[in-house]
């Protein structure tokens, strides 16, 4: 039987490399992640229980620096792993059927630092998961994993072919779809007064949400920021919005 939801085909490419303690430890601890190789300094190895089933190369700091982008803070540990298996949107929605954990939808957010930071905030505020378009979104990478600080391994990340159809499916599951837009007349606090399941939609920094994405929101809302700044970084906006969802009614 076919599963529900929108699921892209997985692109074939090089395995991602993760670096830094939080990202690598989380990958090693994730039973859904297959780690293929580990590079580590003897000093870093002395601080953890080494996995017995992962091929390991002991190297010095300079050797490790050649395996990652320039100036990447590898902290003496790097791993290479298979990408995680794709997740169906319908399956993710089913996981949240009996609770009010929020969903996050990112509309063409291409900066891997921002996607990683949103994943980290999603983990901090117990979001159900994030949904992105398959295209115009960064793949799993060391940069995403580093910014996510371990959250890449614990927050479900659904990639869909068509974001508008995904938002329709989210609406059918009784989520109230709130699009964050600086020009909106309604504040986020007002948009959240109804309670219930919430889906937060955020667009790319600068361009914001596309018009068709806005058309698939139930309401557009703004954060009440000072006019001293034009906007917030998307990852900051996501964190504030998730906090507002978590504390509504308190």
């Amino acid at each position: 039987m076919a599963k529900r939801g929108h699921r892209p085909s997985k692109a074939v490419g090089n395995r991602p490399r993760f670096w830094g303690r939080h990202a690598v430890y989380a990958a090693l601890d994730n039973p859904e992640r297959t780690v293929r190789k580990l590079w580590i300094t003897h000093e870093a190895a002395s601080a953890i229980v080494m996995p017995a089933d992962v091929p390991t190369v002991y190297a010095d700091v300079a050797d490790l620096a050649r395996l990652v982008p320039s100036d990447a803070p590898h902290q003496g540990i790097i791993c290479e792993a298979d990408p995680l298996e794709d997740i169906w949107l319908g399956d993710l929605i089913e996981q949240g059927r009996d609770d009010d954990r929020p969903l996050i939808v990112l509309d063409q957010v291409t900066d891997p630092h921002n996607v990683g930071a949103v994943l980290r905030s999603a983990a901090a505020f117990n979001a159900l998961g994030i949904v992105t378009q398959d295209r115009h979104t960064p793949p799993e990478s060391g940069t995403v994993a580093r910014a996510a600080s371990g959250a890449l391994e614990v927050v479900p990340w659904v990639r869909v072919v068509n974001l508008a159809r995904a938002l329709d499916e989210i609406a059918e599951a009784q989520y109230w779809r709130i699009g964050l837009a600086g020009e909106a007349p309604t504040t986020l606090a007002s948009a959240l007064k109804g309670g219930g399941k919430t889906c937060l939609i955020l667009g790319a920094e600068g361009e914001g949400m596309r018009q068709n994405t806005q058309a698939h929101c139930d309401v557009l809302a703004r954060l009440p920021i000072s006019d001293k700044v034009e906007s917030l970084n998307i990852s900051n906006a996501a964190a504030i919005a998730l906090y507002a969802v978590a504390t509504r009614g308190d």
Side-chain angles (χ1 to χ4, degrees):
M1 185 191 317
K3 294 186 179 180
R4 296 171 301 149
H6 310 289
R7 185 182 191 182
S9 60
K10 184 180 289 295
V12 176
N14 294 329
R15 296 188 182 107
R17 284 181 181 173
F18 304 145
W19 57 82
R21 288 189 296 270
H22 289 298
V24 176
Y25 292 176
L28 290 170
D29 288 340
N30 183 3
E32 302 301 321
R33 173 80 72 183
T34 300
V35 177
R36 297 293 184 178
K37 194 169 184 178
L38 182 68
W39 293 266
I40 192 168
T41 64
H42 287 283
E43 181 181 4
S46 67
I48 66 170
V49 177
M50 293 294 295
D53 57 345
V54 178
T56 300
V57 175
Y58 291 92
D60 60 29
V61 170
D63 290 332
L64 293 184
R66 299 185 186 98
L67 299 174
V68 294
S70 177
D71 299 325
H74 58 71
Q75 298 178 306
I77 186 168
I78 299 167
C79 76
E80 186 172 88
D82 290 344
L84 292 172
E85 288 295 319
D86 292 327
I87 302 169
W88 292 81
L89 178 58
D91 289 344
L92 180 64
I93 289 172
E94 181 65 22
Q95 289 177 26
R97 181 180 61 178
D98 298 324
D99 61 57
D100 289 335
R101 286 177 291 166
L103 264 175
I104 303 170
V105 173
L106 301 181
D107 183 18
Q108 297 197 343
V109 176
T110 59
D111 186 330
H113 297 90
N114 281 336
V115 173
V118 170
L119 283 164
R120 185 174 185 177
S121 294
F125 292 103
N126 197 30
L128 180 62
I130 74 167
V131 180
T132 69
Q133 216 176 358
D134 188 32
R135 296 183 300 169
H136 310 295
T137 303
E140 287 186 17
S141 68
T143 301
V144 172
R146 174 70 180 179
S149 193
L152 177 61
E153 308 299 328
V154 296
V155 176
W157 179 359
V158 174
R159 294 172 179 269
V160 299
V161 174
N162 188 302
L163 202 60
R165 286 205 301 267
L167 286 167
D168 284 340
E169 185 173 348
I170 288 168
E172 290 170 4
Q174 306 301 313
Y175 283 84
W176 184 243
R177 300 166 301 177
I178 303 175
L180 293 187
E183 70 278 8
T186 303
T187 64
L188 179 59
S190 296
L192 287 171
K193 284 183 178 177
K197 293 179 178 291
T198 301
C199 173
L200 299 169
I201 303 106
L202 297 93
E205 191 169 356
E207 295 85 358
M209 282 181 291
R210 292 170 295 162
Q211 185 174 357
N212 190 41
T213 303
Q214 290 193 19
H216 283 78
C217 296
D218 296 301
V219 64
L220 298 180
R222 60 179 169 82
L223 299 176
I225 63 174
S226 164
D227 58 8
K228 295 177 182 178
V229 294
E230 181 179 354
S231 63
L232 290 174
N233 175 280
I234 181 176
S235 60
N236 291 332
I240 293 169
L242 284 166
Y243 173 79
V245 173
T247 58
R248 62 182 167 184
D250 289 356

